Amino acid sequence: LRRRFGACQPGKSLPALPSLPIIGSLLSLKSDRPPHIFFQELQRKYGPTYSLMMGSHNVIIVNSYQHAKEVLIKKGKTFAGRPRTVTTDILTRDGKDIAFADYSPTWRFHRKIVHGALCMFGEGTASIEKIICREADAMCETLGEMQSLAVDLAPELTRAVTNVICSLCFSSSYKHGDKEFEDMLDYSQGIVDTVAKDSLVDIFPWLQIFPNKDLRVLRDCVSVRDMLLQKKYEEHKANYSDNIQRDLLDALLRAKRSSENNNTNTQDVGLTDDHLLMTVGDIFGAGVETTTTVLKWSIAYLVHHPQVQAKIQAELDRKIGRERHPQLSDRGNLPYLEATIREVLRIRPVSPLLIPHMALADTSIGDYTVKRGARVIINLWSLHHDQKEWKNPDLFDPGRFLDKEGETVCCPSASYLPFGAGIRVCLGEALAKMELFLFLSWILQRFTLDVPAGHPLPSLEGKFGVVLQPQKYKVLACLREGWEKGQAVATED
Ligand code: HEM
Ligand code: PLO
């Protein structure tokens, strides 16, 4: 019968970790190592793709780029689902956002609106460049005031990045010392520390009935965040006009109003207040935490590798000089800086396990059978540290992303997906790349970053969570020699 209907051969079963009823493979998963490194090590015993049980859920771990691309690109639609978990449900009012929402018409619709709104500000349009440069300028001013002091740059980097996304989402920004900004820093760190860490409640939802400190912190932080989002939403509703679209929230409001006017059932596409709030919440949260994290990693690596910093500065001096500030159109002219950003995204991926995917139908990965409902974790850490693909993968070497002459940026391996790929690819890739380029070029044109005397070098060990964050560290930002005299003139609006 199978032959007659041309059905494919039944596939092989995936190598599997031992598993017990109820607890699944929990006993084999006990490790002091963070999950991305532990999953990478398990390859030695089970091969690059294997399965395990988290409670009653079948989870497939993919450690090779061949299988990763099959999941994300070739069979992208089949694997576009997202599993629901206790913690992400708390964050997103049961999956009413984009990143943690399952594949559905509502998800597609919201993704499309946000994509359209981000393109409106996107590359090529002057507005986004102006916004980022305004923040870069303010940040450099503040760094100048902190000269020769050992400082944690994180709050200033976060404020600059937050103001960019705040301008895009809400047309607002924060001043130094703003109380709302301080509250935002606190709740966001609380969320990063507790959400989607594959903690026990996500594996065994029934554990919610017991008091759980992490879950309490998460609920408290989410409620502070929701109040802030609600406030922005009310302000926008009060000042809304069909004729002007100021920002992303206006774009969402316009879509909601136009479907109401056309008598479409707004519930069908999920244009409820909850969906709108959770969608901006996603973009705001992703916009702040990811880019800030990469800037922190970049500075940590630059302090470890002063020769890389000097090479970027030489390139900046040669191609831009000191009479003007870097701008987006310089991007193609600064290959060493571009290669450094790529190398930071390789060696410390923001999202080392991406966000879990879920099979929406019975399918396969390579020769292996995969059942509908299986969760698939792409271990980006393994892809980016694969010995077969990268020479000395643990070495920080921007040169690996340059051709022999050192003039053109290239990608030496296909095992590189810092933003994911396929229909769930990152929505903010273009924005993040513009920000990283502009912030780093502005800082390095003017300052040299160093370890303060008596302080240790920044730790390069990441803190695993929904984003892989560096630990806190202090640096010295010293104005470069001669900068005071040859200071770039502020660009006219
Ligand atoms: C998803 C990386 C910045 C918005 C993702 C994913 C990765 C990623 C790996 C998951 C893909 C998957 O599950 O297959 C990064 C990196 C960034 C960055 C490395 C910075 C360097 C941003 C920014 C925004 C953003 C600035 C917002 C403007 C999103 C959204 C999703 C996402 C909404 C969910 C997409 C979906 O599930 O359909 N990102 N991201 N990201 N990112 Fe980013
Ligand atoms: C960061 C903390 C915020 O308070 C809420 C938030 C929303 C969207 C999340 C983001 C957090 C972390 C990074 C995520 C992003 C969606 C896509 C992005 C997971 C939890 C990545 C890198 O995949």
Side-chain angles (χ1 to χ4, degrees):
L1 196 68
R2 188 176 289 280
R3 209 174 311 134
R4 196 156 137 220
F5 288 105
C8 54
Q9 288 286 315
K12 295 190 289 182
S13 300
L14 278 157
L17 266 71
S19 137
L20 289 168
I22 305 182
I23 63 167
S25 316
L26 210 60
L27 296 179
S28 322
L29 291 173
K30 270 178 81 74
S31 162
D32 305 334
R33 324 277 269 144
H36 53 285
I37 296 182
F38 182 56
F39 288 153
Q40 181 192 31
E41 284 169 356
L42 283 178
Q43 286 187 86
R44 268 186 260 140
K45 193 156 171 200
Y46 297 98
T49 305
Y50 51 84
S51 83
L52 50 91
M53 295 299 288
M54 287 209 183
S56 57
H57 301 296
N58 177 210
V59 183
I60 299 170
I61 314 286
V62 172
N63 294 282
S64 77
Y65 80 88
Q66 290 89 346
H67 281 175
K69 289 194 170 169
E70 184 176 342
V71 169
L72 299 174
I73 303 169
K74 192 166 157 214
K75 297 179 181 158
K77 210 164 167 184
T78 313
F79 285 104
R82 295 274 197 226
R84 283 182 62 175
T85 66
V86 173
T87 56
T88 56
D89 273 359
I90 294 174
L91 179 68
T92 65
R93 301 192 182 163
D94 301 333
K96 295 191 179 65
D97 67 330
I98 299 179
F100 301 107
D102 203 357
Y103 184 83
S104 71
T106 305
W107 167 80
R108 275 208 314 264
F109 185 71
H110 280 252
R111 209 184 136 109
K112 212 167 120 191
I113 302 179
V114 172
H115 184 72
L118 289 176
C119 283
M120 199 181 78
F121 294 109
E123 214 155 350
T125 62
S127 57
I128 182 75
E129 177 164 19
K130 233 190 232 170
I131 295 170
I132 305 172
C133 290
R134 184 189 69 205
E135 295 308 324
D137 195 26
M139 176 174 64
C140 287
E141 278 300 306
T142 316
L143 296 193
E145 286 158 21
M146 296 168 169
Q147 249 229 100
S148 317
L149 294 174
V151 277
D152 175 7
L153 293 184
E156 278 316 306
L157 298 173
T158 314
R159 196 161 63 87
V161 173
T162 304
N163 280 344
V164 172
I165 204 74
C166 253
S167 297
L168 296 186
C169 289
F170 312 123
S171 318
S172 63
S173 63
Y174 292 117
K175 296 240 156 47
H176 188 79
D178 193 310
K179 169 84 172 67
E180 188 176 289
F181 174 68
E182 306 286 329
D183 290 348
M184 196 279 292
L185 283 185
D186 282 350
Y187 83 64
S188 204
Q189 190 57 48
I191 295 176
V192 171
D193 287 343
T194 51
V195 81
K197 284 178 83 172
D198 270 324
S199 53
L200 286 176
V201 277
D202 282 341
I203 303 172
F204 307 114
W206 44 267
L207 280 177
Q208 279 176 91
I209 58 170
F210 298 110
N212 175 328
K213 184 168 165 272
D214 273 6
L215 226 47
R216 206 178 53 240
V217 170
L218 178 61
R219 287 207 174 95
D220 291 348
C221 291
V222 168
S223 101
V224 178
R225 179 196 78 151
D226 288 355
M227 269 178 331
L228 187 144
L229 292 178
Q230 187 74 40
K231 193 176 115 198
K232 303 276 184 207
Y233 189 40
E234 299 301 334
E235 285 166 6
H236 270 67
K237 273 203 288 200
N239 300 323
Y240 177 80
S241 150
D242 272 335
N243 306 324
I244 326 163
Q245 186 175 306
R246 294 160 296 178
D247 45 43
L248 177 71
L249 196 44
D250 272 357
L252 287 161
L253 270 171
R254 174 184 287 190
K256 184 168 158 64
R257 299 214 174 185
S258 90
S259 76
E260 280 161 357
N261 293 341
N262 295 335
N263 287 333
T264 332
N265 190 349
T266 46
Q267 302 296 323
D268 288 350
V269 277
L271 277 168
T272 63
D273 287 350
D274 271 7
H275 279 96
L276 257 63
L277 278 185
M278 296 302 110
T279 296
V280 273
D282 247 19
I283 303 304
F284 187 53
V288 173
E289 292 300 336
T290 53
T291 312
T292 312
T293 298
V294 186
L295 288 175
K296 289 191 240 171
W297 278 124
S298 305
I299 293 175
Y301 274 99
L302 290 174
V303 168
H304 272 261
H305 299 270
Q307 75 287 5
V308 170
Q309 203 176 158
K311 254 176 128 164
I312 299 174
Q313 287 172 329
E315 189 177 65
L316 285 164
D317 291 349
R318 234 178 19 256
K319 305 278 176 57
I320 296 180
R322 293 177 186 204
E323 303 306 313
R324 67 175 183 85
H325 294 298
Q327 54 201 37
L328 276 184
S329 56
D330 294 314
R331 229 171 111 184
N333 262 332
L334 296 165
Y336 197 75
L337 172 58
E338 200 65 27
T340 306
I341 296 172
R342 288 194 187 192
E343 178 67 343
V344 172
L345 289 168
R346 180 194 70 81
I347 202 159
R348 289 295 177 268
V350 172
S351 186
L353 301 179
L354 307 188
I355 302 175
H357 287 245
M358 191 173 68
L360 297 168
D362 287 349
T363 178
S364 59
I365 301 178
D367 293 337
Y368 299 115
T369 305
V370 171
K371 284 257 170 261
R372 174 167 177 233
R375 297 169 178 209
V376 182
I377 292 181
I378 308 287
N379 192 351
L380 193 59
W381 181 272
S382 294
L383 265 66
H384 286 187
H385 290 84
D386 186 342
Q387 303 261 12
K388 295 194 292 297
E389 295 296 322
W390 306 95
K391 205 170 143 202
N392 300 326
D394 294 325
L395 200 79
F396 180 73
D397 173 19
R400 66 171 91 239
F401 282 99
L402 290 172
D403 67 354
K404 274 205 194 74
E405 287 73 43
E407 291 296 322
T408 318
V409 198
C410 62
C411 194
S413 164
S415 197
Y416 182 67
L417 297 174
F419 295 91
I423 62 175
R424 283 280 183 172
V425 70
C426 175
L427 255 179
E429 176 170 355
L431 171 64
K433 285 177 168 167
M434 289 187 254
E435 290 189 73
L436 294 174
F437 171 76
L438 286 171
F439 283 133
L440 287 172
S441 59
W442 275 62
I443 296 174
L444 291 173
Q445 184 190 36
R446 208 179 299 186
F447 299 97
T448 298
L449 304 161
D450 216 338
V451 216
H455 283 257
L457 275 164
S459 164
L460 297 176
E461 203 177 303
K463 221 172 70 184
F464 177 80
V466 68
V467 287
L468 183 71
Q469 291 179 326
Q471 284 152 40
K472 276 200 168 112
Y473 61 85
K474 289 196 171 171
V475 291
L476 215 58
C478 303
L479 268 182
R480 294 179 62 205
E481 207 180 314
W483 175 261
E484 304 86 337
K485 283 166 252 149
Q487 199 169 112
V489 274
T491 31
E492 290 293 314
D493 278 5

